[in-house]
Amino acid sequence: MRIGELARAVGVGISTVRFYERRGLLEPSGRSGGNYRSYDDESVRRLRFIRRAQELGFTLGEIEQFLALPSVTDLDQHAVIDLVAGKLDEIDGRIRDLNRLRSALSTLAATGANRERCPVVAALADPPTGRGG
């Protein structure tokens, strides 16, 4: 498939595909006779992974590290473990914050807005719990 078909299949713009190519996150699987980039099903899978990982808060640098995992050497193992541990801490903090927000939304849904302070504002006005908090 050509670049436009790949972009449509994943729901991104052609410029996004080109950006990921420049970053080294995605490569065409080959070239057509007319020298157009061509992509295969693996390209679709990889691009979907990149987009989904970004939606979930991974940086492009972190995504690069995960995409490199099949070729990780023994020397890289500590870096991978640190990356995963840091991301787990970040996710745990987000889960705590989302649970706090969920509780506030449930309170608002059950009791209405007849309160001194909106519970959603109260939940989001406090600083994030972050790592280990």
Side-chain angles (χ1 to χ4, degrees):
M1 75 183 76
R2 289 188 179 175
I3 193 168
E5 294 167 314
L6 172 65
R8 275 190 302 281
V10 180
V12 300
I14 292 172
S15 61
T16 300
V17 175
R18 288 186 177 136
F19 172 76
Y20 292 143
E21 285 181 359
R22 285 191 304 274
R23 283 288 309 244
L25 296 171
L26 184 69
E27 292 180 15
S29 55
R31 294 271 179 175
S32 70
N35 206 28
Y36 290 104
R37 296 175 179 106
S38 62
Y39 302 89
D40 56 14
D41 291 338
E42 175 59 22
S43 301
V44 173
R45 188 193 67 74
R46 189 175 182 103
L47 185 54
R48 282 190 179 133
F49 165 77
I50 294 167
R51 294 302 295 174
R52 187 70 179 124
Q54 279 191 298
E55 288 171 6
L56 293 172
F58 286 89
T59 66
L60 289 178
E62 291 167 336
I63 292 168
E64 271 179 296
Q65 289 179 296
F66 278 109
L67 289 172
L69 280 179
S71 62
V72 168
T73 66
D74 289 338
L75 298 174
D76 297 330
Q77 288 296 325
H78 292 294
V80 170
I81 290 167
D82 289 345
L83 169 69
V84 170
K87 199 45 103 169
L88 284 172
D89 285 346
E90 184 182 319
I91 289 168
D92 289 342
R94 280 183 170 172
I95 289 170
R96 285 190 296 275
D97 288 341
L98 286 170
N99 281 330
R100 205 169 72 202
L101 177 58
R102 186 183 195 294
S103 176
L105 288 169
S106 294
T107 299
L108 183 61
T111 63
N114 295 331
R115 309 182 114 237
E116 201 171 294
R117 185 174 180 207
C118 174
V120 175
V121 173
L124 296 180
D126 293 333
T129 56
R131 286 186 178 197

